[in-house]
Amino acid sequence: MYPVLWDFGPVKIYSYGAMMALGFLAAGYFTGLELERAGHRRELASTFLLWAAAGGLLGARVLSILNDWRSFLEEPLSFALSGAGFAWYGGFVGGTLAVTLAAKKYAVPWTTIVDAAAPGLALGHAIGRIGCELAGDGDWGKPTSLPWAHSYPNAIVGWEEWTRAAGLPQDVRVHPAPIYESLAYLFVFAVLWALRKRSLPPGARFSLYLVLASAFRFGIEFVRINPPVLLGLSQAQWISALLALTGLSSLAYLGRRRRAA
């Protein structure tokens, strides 16, 4: 684990932030290629990326505060400005809302933007999860004896507190859940990128992204340490199920509309 990639005295480059930035850049690059293929200026990707980043970071922080309200009340400024604890689904919702506003502002069809962004979004998420793995952002998995399991003693978020509360030794080995997610989202990127030249209805690629990415997250949650909130499922699993059903419903609707046409 490497929470700090480079330390230049007063200036530190954190792995979580570096991978997040790299993920945004990768997402912007592939989104630009797809926007250009759809007949729009590639430079628009940078504009939409800024909107998505602002909305995504705000949404991720809001959801993390809602999930840990007591810690926020104890030290609100420290919690809000922390480099850890961002909730992915909060970022996804915030970023989607921001891009929706940007689509209206720049008069680009919403489906064009989200279809163009879908592969890059999956790739950016995969890169971001590498940052979670390097930094130990609190999203590790449950104890396991699998050969690739490892511990997170230098985690930027509560490894010592978690192991103590769970009655586990500091060197307990756990599922590297961020690596599982990174590999899963790389697969989603590969599928969506392979489909980029297929004649699909507007919105189909984004709908497929919702189905695949959400299904993987739902499954991986079974080995993560997130607590259940209802019927034995975690908050992320309920959100994943909702997004996957939304994607499936959208694909079914688009398929019926195409057959009718």
Side-chain angles (χ1 to χ4, degrees):
M1 282 177 49
Y2 299 93
V4 179
L5 292 179
W6 294 283
D7 188 344
F8 303 105
V11 179
K12 293 183 179 180
I13 306 297
Y14 291 92
S15 55
Y16 185 87
M19 290 299 104
M20 182 181 290
L22 183 59
F24 274 120
L25 290 174
Y29 174 75
F30 284 97
T31 300
L33 292 179
E34 286 301 278
L35 282 175
E36 186 176 55
R37 195 172 62 83
H40 298 277
R41 292 183 295 110
R42 185 186 298 191
E43 294 75 19
L44 273 177
S46 299
T47 301
F48 290 123
L49 179 64
L50 289 176
W51 281 74
L57 291 174
L58 178 61
R61 180 52 77 201
V62 167
L63 185 56
S64 69
I65 290 173
L66 294 176
N67 286 338
D68 197 359
W69 185 250
R70 292 183 179 179
S71 297
F72 173 71
L73 291 179
E74 290 174 1
E75 295 184 77
L77 185 61
S78 176
F79 189 97
L81 298 179
S82 169
F86 288 95
W88 159 251
Y89 276 131
F92 177 76
V93 172
T96 301
L97 291 175
V99 167
T100 300
L101 294 175
K104 293 182 179 180
K105 178 179 175 63
Y106 294 98
V108 178
W110 186 81
T111 52
T112 298
I113 297 173
V114 295
D115 278 344
L121 183 59
L123 180 60
H125 196 177
I127 296 172
R129 282 308 185 198
I130 295 174
C132 293
E133 172 67 17
L134 292 174
D137 191 38
D139 55 1
W140 48 77
K142 298 174 182 178
T144 180
S145 59
L146 290 170
W148 55 81
H150 54 265
S151 58
Y152 292 79
N154 301 318
I156 61 174
V157 174
W159 173 260
E160 182 177 348
E161 292 81 357
W162 173 74
T163 52
R164 187 187 303 118
L168 298 170
Q170 289 285 296
D171 60 351
V172 63
R173 294 161 61 85
V174 299
H175 284 282
I179 294 179
Y180 298 167
E181 286 195 69
S182 185
L183 293 174
Y185 300 137
L186 281 175
F187 173 79
V188 176
F189 166 74
V191 170
L192 295 175
W193 192 249
L195 293 174
R196 70 188 186 279
K197 294 183 179 180
R198 295 286 185 90
S199 178
L200 299 175
R205 274 205 299 172
F206 182 67
S207 299
L208 183 58
Y209 164 80
L210 291 179
V211 173
L212 293 177
S214 299
F216 277 122
R217 178 61 187 271
F218 186 93
I220 293 171
E221 276 291 300
F222 284 111
V223 301
R224 286 183 55 165
I225 60 173
N226 291 332
V229 295
L230 182 65
L231 301 179
L233 300 179
S234 69
Q235 179 193 73
Q237 285 178 309
W238 282 107
I239 298 175
S240 296
L242 177 61
L243 291 177
L245 287 173
T246 300
L248 286 171
S249 299
S250 176
L251 289 172
Y253 168 76
L254 293 172
R256 287 196 303 269
R257 193 171 69 173
R258 168 174 276 194
R259 288 192 297 271

